[in-house]
Amino acid sequence: MNKVIMIVLDGLRRDTARTQMGYVNHLVESSKASYYKVQSELPSLSRPLYEVLLTGTPSSVNGITANHIVRLSDRKSIFHLAGEKGLKTTAAAYYWVSELYNRAPFDRIADREQHDGNMPIQHGKFYFEDSYPDSHLFADAEVLRRQWDPDFLLIHPMGIDDAGHRFGSDSREYRAKALEADSILATLLPGWMQLGYTILITSDHGMNRDGYHGGTGPDERDVPLYVIGTSFEPGIYEETIPQLAVAPLVCNLLSLPLAEGMLRYAFPGVRL
């Protein structure tokens, strides 16, 4: 069984990932990682797409249809499935993830840090300001990893998305945040790779030049997926992958049964 780290760089366009993230793309060029094209589900909004990435179900099925829908998910997520099999789960993420899988509504004091083996996310550090620094969020995640040695760790920074909303995706600020994320990953990935983790790096949605997302355009829907691990044949895969396939892929990596409604999809280059 693999131990999996899933990184969701909120608001990262696919083309920005390819042009700005030099270290991650170096891993692809040097045959140490795989690159896939992913098309996000609709609506291309954050809370609905967290549910897509973590339950493998679309909004029309799970009912998380907009960002203002504040309630626990009624679907089995990767966290639920892992816990049922005795695996350890952790997350360093935006508070909407806590509201989907642990408690809703979010209490800024009681829910900022959570440690409860009976919860779907057993150990979590959650932030509630979009401007929370990515450097701090990745440090939160690494603390969780070292303390709890999880089988599944979700890391979800918001810096790229925040810059996109403030300045638009065709801005130096947006590109700078992608570069910053790549620099942080260049510091952490080598150690995680040496320890044998399977690592997925993707996004929930992209961003248009006006600083918005939620629509149907490629700027808002086209996101990257980089994967590092022995279960993948390194390379660049041109086939467009449905975002609904990501959650069942993680389940397969963790040797978990797929939940009802999850898509069975044959990823190219996967050796499972």
Side-chain angles (χ1 to χ4, degrees):
M1 184 195 74
N2 297 284
K3 289 190 174 185
V4 175
I5 297 175
M6 182 177 178
I7 303 161
V8 179
L9 299 175
D10 204 293
L12 177 63
R13 289 168 51 135
R14 183 196 300 162
D15 55 356
T16 303
R18 290 294 279 166
T19 60
Q20 303 303 311
M21 301 187 72
Y23 178 73
V24 173
N25 286 289
H26 158 70
L27 294 177
V28 177
E29 285 192 357
S30 58
S31 298
K32 293 180 172 61
S34 304
Y35 166 74
Y36 297 90
K37 297 177 177 180
V38 171
Q39 183 180 63
S40 79
E41 281 291 299
L42 293 174
S44 54
L45 295 169
S46 292
R47 197 186 297 252
L49 295 182
Y50 303 161
E51 181 80 334
V52 169
L53 287 167
L54 292 163
T55 73
T57 59
S59 289
S60 57
V61 172
N62 60 51
I64 305 298
T65 57
N67 284 341
H68 63 266
I69 307 297
V70 180
R71 64 166 172 80
L72 285 172
S73 169
D74 60 13
R75 299 286 153 173
K76 282 194 175 182
S77 69
I78 298 167
F79 298 112
H80 293 85
L81 296 167
E84 288 173 0
K85 291 297 182 180
L87 304 187
K88 194 173 295 182
T89 63
T90 57
Y94 194 56
Y95 75 101
W96 289 0
V97 174
S98 173
E99 288 184 325
L100 280 168
Y101 307 113
N102 271 18
R103 285 194 286 264
F106 184 83
D107 183 298
R108 292 187 174 193
I109 305 302
D111 296 338
R112 172 74 171 90
E113 187 161 337
Q114 301 177 38
H115 300 285
D116 185 341
N118 295 316
M119 287 287 193
I121 305 171
Q122 297 159 14
H123 304 283
K125 294 177 183 287
F126 300 98
Y127 63 100
F128 45 82
E129 298 288 352
D130 291 17
S131 58
Y132 188 69
D134 288 358
S135 58
H136 291 42
L137 187 278
F138 275 98
D140 290 342
E142 182 63 359
V143 168
L144 288 169
R145 189 194 67 79
R146 294 184 186 188
Q147 284 185 340
W148 302 104
D149 188 26
D151 298 288
F152 178 61
L153 167 60
L154 173 69
I155 304 175
H156 172 229
M158 189 68 75
I160 297 169
D161 183 79
D162 186 50
H165 284 304
R166 290 173 184 266
F167 305 104
S169 62
D170 188 17
S171 66
R172 61 181 297 182
E173 291 86 357
Y174 180 79
R175 289 187 287 270
K177 280 297 180 181
L179 284 165
E180 179 186 330
D182 185 67
S183 179
I184 295 169
L185 290 170
T187 304
L188 293 170
L189 287 178
W192 295 343
M193 293 165 66
Q194 189 172 11
L195 291 169
Y197 285 93
T198 297
I199 304 158
L200 293 83
I201 305 166
T202 190
S203 182
D204 49 350
H205 55 73
M207 183 76 60
N208 66 29
R209 288 176 172 82
D210 296 329
Y212 297 105
H213 55 86
T216 64
D219 290 356
E220 297 161 83
R221 297 190 71 184
D222 291 353
V223 297
L225 172 63
Y226 297 93
V227 185
I228 303 163
T230 57
S231 296
F232 295 84
E233 185 68 35
I236 296 173
Y237 296 92
E238 296 296 337
E239 175 184 336
T240 298
I241 307 296
Q243 196 174 42
L244 291 168
V246 175
L249 172 65
V250 175
C251 288
N252 286 331
L253 292 168
L254 291 169
S255 300
L256 301 174
L258 301 189
E260 182 181 356
M262 281 190 177
L263 178 70
R264 296 184 182 276
Y265 187 87
F267 258 80
V270 176
R271 300 181 296 214
L272 287 174

Short mmCIF file of all heavy atoms in Angstrom, two decimals, residues 9-13 16 21 134 157-165 174 177-179 181 207:
data_model
loop_
_atom_site.label_atom_id
_atom_site.label_comp_id
_atom_site.label_asym_id
_atom_site.label_seq_id
_atom_site.Cartn_x
_atom_site.Cartn_y
_atom_site.Cartn_z
N LEU A 9 -3.40 22.87 -5.19
CA LEU A 9 -2.99 24.28 -5.28
C LEU A 9 -4.17 25.07 -5.81
O LEU A 9 -4.40 25.15 -7.01
CB LEU A 9 -1.77 24.41 -6.20
CG LEU A 9 -0.51 23.65 -5.75
CD1 LEU A 9 0.58 23.76 -6.80
CD2 LEU A 9 -0.01 24.17 -4.41
N ASP A 10 -4.92 25.64 -4.90
CA ASP A 10 -6.21 26.25 -5.24
C ASP A 10 -6.04 27.34 -6.30
O ASP A 10 -5.20 28.22 -6.18
CB ASP A 10 -6.82 26.86 -3.98
CG ASP A 10 -8.33 27.00 -4.07
OD1 ASP A 10 -8.80 27.80 -4.90
OD2 ASP A 10 -9.03 26.29 -3.33
N GLY A 11 -6.86 27.25 -7.37
CA GLY A 11 -6.91 28.30 -8.38
C GLY A 11 -5.80 28.27 -9.42
O GLY A 11 -5.63 29.24 -10.16
N LEU A 12 -5.06 27.17 -9.53
CA LEU A 12 -3.92 27.11 -10.45
C LEU A 12 -4.34 26.66 -11.84
O LEU A 12 -4.80 25.53 -12.03
CB LEU A 12 -2.87 26.14 -9.90
CG LEU A 12 -1.64 25.92 -10.79
CD1 LEU A 12 -0.84 27.21 -10.96
CD2 LEU A 12 -0.77 24.80 -10.22
N ARG A 13 -4.16 27.53 -12.81
CA ARG A 13 -4.41 27.19 -14.21
C ARG A 13 -3.36 26.20 -14.70
O ARG A 13 -2.21 26.20 -14.26
CB ARG A 13 -4.32 28.44 -15.09
CG ARG A 13 -5.44 29.42 -14.93
CD ARG A 13 -5.14 30.74 -15.61
NE ARG A 13 -4.71 30.60 -16.99
CZ ARG A 13 -5.15 31.34 -18.00
NH1 ARG A 13 -6.07 32.27 -17.77
NH2 ARG A 13 -4.70 31.17 -19.21
N THR A 16 -0.41 27.99 -16.49
CA THR A 16 0.48 28.65 -15.53
C THR A 16 1.37 27.63 -14.83
O THR A 16 2.56 27.88 -14.61
CB THR A 16 -0.34 29.43 -14.50
OG1 THR A 16 -1.17 30.38 -15.18
CG2 THR A 16 0.55 30.16 -13.51
N MET A 21 6.15 26.67 -12.99
CA MET A 21 6.59 25.75 -11.94
C MET A 21 7.78 24.93 -12.44
O MET A 21 7.66 23.78 -12.83
CB MET A 21 5.42 24.88 -11.48
CG MET A 21 4.26 25.72 -10.95
SD MET A 21 2.93 24.79 -10.21
CE MET A 21 3.69 24.25 -8.68
N ASP A 134 1.13 30.60 2.11
CA ASP A 134 1.37 29.22 1.69
C ASP A 134 2.54 28.61 2.46
O ASP A 134 2.53 27.41 2.77
CB ASP A 134 1.65 29.15 0.19
CG ASP A 134 0.41 29.41 -0.65
OD1 ASP A 134 -0.68 29.61 -0.08
OD2 ASP A 134 0.53 29.42 -1.90
N PRO A 157 -3.19 24.84 -0.03
CA PRO A 157 -2.91 26.27 0.12
C PRO A 157 -3.80 27.12 -0.79
O PRO A 157 -4.28 26.66 -1.83
CB PRO A 157 -1.45 26.38 -0.29
CG PRO A 157 -1.27 25.28 -1.30
CD PRO A 157 -2.20 24.17 -0.88
N MET A 158 -3.96 28.40 -0.42
CA MET A 158 -4.88 29.29 -1.11
C MET A 158 -4.20 30.48 -1.79
O MET A 158 -4.85 31.31 -2.41
CB MET A 158 -5.91 29.82 -0.08
CG MET A 158 -7.09 30.58 -0.62
SD MET A 158 -8.23 29.57 -1.58
CE MET A 158 -9.05 28.69 -0.26
N GLY A 159 -2.87 30.56 -1.71
CA GLY A 159 -2.19 31.77 -2.17
C GLY A 159 -2.38 32.09 -3.64
O GLY A 159 -2.55 33.25 -4.02
N ILE A 160 -2.34 31.07 -4.50
CA ILE A 160 -2.50 31.31 -5.93
C ILE A 160 -3.90 31.82 -6.23
O ILE A 160 -4.09 32.78 -6.99
CB ILE A 160 -2.18 30.02 -6.72
CG1 ILE A 160 -0.72 29.61 -6.50
CG2 ILE A 160 -2.48 30.20 -8.21
CD1 ILE A 160 -0.39 28.22 -7.02
N ASP A 161 -4.90 31.19 -5.66
CA ASP A 161 -6.28 31.62 -5.85
C ASP A 161 -6.50 33.05 -5.35
O ASP A 161 -7.14 33.86 -6.03
CB ASP A 161 -7.21 30.66 -5.11
CG ASP A 161 -8.68 30.98 -5.30
OD1 ASP A 161 -9.23 30.65 -6.36
OD2 ASP A 161 -9.28 31.58 -4.38
N ASP A 162 -5.95 33.36 -4.18
CA ASP A 162 -6.11 34.70 -3.62
C ASP A 162 -5.51 35.76 -4.54
O ASP A 162 -6.13 36.80 -4.80
CB ASP A 162 -5.46 34.75 -2.24
CG ASP A 162 -5.70 36.07 -1.52
OD1 ASP A 162 -6.87 36.51 -1.45
OD2 ASP A 162 -4.73 36.65 -1.03
N ALA A 163 -4.31 35.49 -5.07
CA ALA A 163 -3.68 36.44 -5.99
C ALA A 163 -4.48 36.57 -7.28
O ALA A 163 -4.61 37.67 -7.85
CB ALA A 163 -2.25 36.00 -6.30
N GLY A 164 -5.04 35.46 -7.75
CA GLY A 164 -5.84 35.50 -8.97
C GLY A 164 -7.08 36.37 -8.81
O GLY A 164 -7.42 37.16 -9.70
N HIS A 165 -7.75 36.25 -7.67
CA HIS A 165 -8.94 37.07 -7.43
C HIS A 165 -8.57 38.55 -7.28
O HIS A 165 -9.33 39.43 -7.71
CB HIS A 165 -9.65 36.60 -6.17
CG HIS A 165 -10.44 35.34 -6.36
ND1 HIS A 165 -11.41 35.21 -7.31
CD2 HIS A 165 -10.38 34.14 -5.71
CE1 HIS A 165 -11.94 34.00 -7.24
NE2 HIS A 165 -11.33 33.33 -6.28
N TYR A 174 -0.09 36.86 -9.75
CA TYR A 174 -0.59 35.48 -9.88
C TYR A 174 0.56 34.54 -10.24
O TYR A 174 0.73 33.48 -9.62
CB TYR A 174 -1.68 35.45 -10.94
CG TYR A 174 -2.31 34.09 -11.18
CD1 TYR A 174 -3.26 33.58 -10.32
CD2 TYR A 174 -1.93 33.33 -12.29
CE1 TYR A 174 -3.84 32.35 -10.55
CE2 TYR A 174 -2.51 32.10 -12.53
CZ TYR A 174 -3.45 31.60 -11.65
OH TYR A 174 -4.03 30.37 -11.89
N LYS A 177 2.90 33.82 -7.33
CA LYS A 177 2.42 32.85 -6.34
C LYS A 177 2.62 31.42 -6.83
O LYS A 177 2.89 30.51 -6.02
CB LYS A 177 0.95 33.11 -6.01
CG LYS A 177 0.73 34.24 -5.02
CD LYS A 177 1.37 33.91 -3.68
CE LYS A 177 1.19 35.01 -2.67
NZ LYS A 177 1.84 34.68 -1.37
N ALA A 178 2.49 31.20 -8.13
CA ALA A 178 2.79 29.87 -8.67
C ALA A 178 4.28 29.55 -8.51
O ALA A 178 4.65 28.42 -8.14
CB ALA A 178 2.38 29.79 -10.14
N LEU A 179 5.12 30.54 -8.77
CA LEU A 179 6.57 30.36 -8.56
C LEU A 179 6.88 30.08 -7.10
O LEU A 179 7.72 29.24 -6.78
CB LEU A 179 7.30 31.62 -9.02
CG LEU A 179 7.46 31.83 -10.52
CD1 LEU A 179 7.87 33.27 -10.81
CD2 LEU A 179 8.48 30.85 -11.10
N ALA A 181 4.89 28.67 -4.84
CA ALA A 181 4.48 27.30 -4.53
C ALA A 181 5.50 26.29 -5.04
O ALA A 181 5.83 25.31 -4.36
CB ALA A 181 3.09 27.02 -5.12
N MET A 207 -8.48 30.03 -13.35
CA MET A 207 -8.79 31.43 -13.06
C MET A 207 -8.79 32.19 -14.38
O MET A 207 -7.92 31.97 -15.23
CB MET A 207 -7.72 32.01 -12.13
CG MET A 207 -7.95 33.44 -11.69
SD MET A 207 -9.22 33.61 -10.41
CE MET A 207 -8.56 32.62 -9.06
#
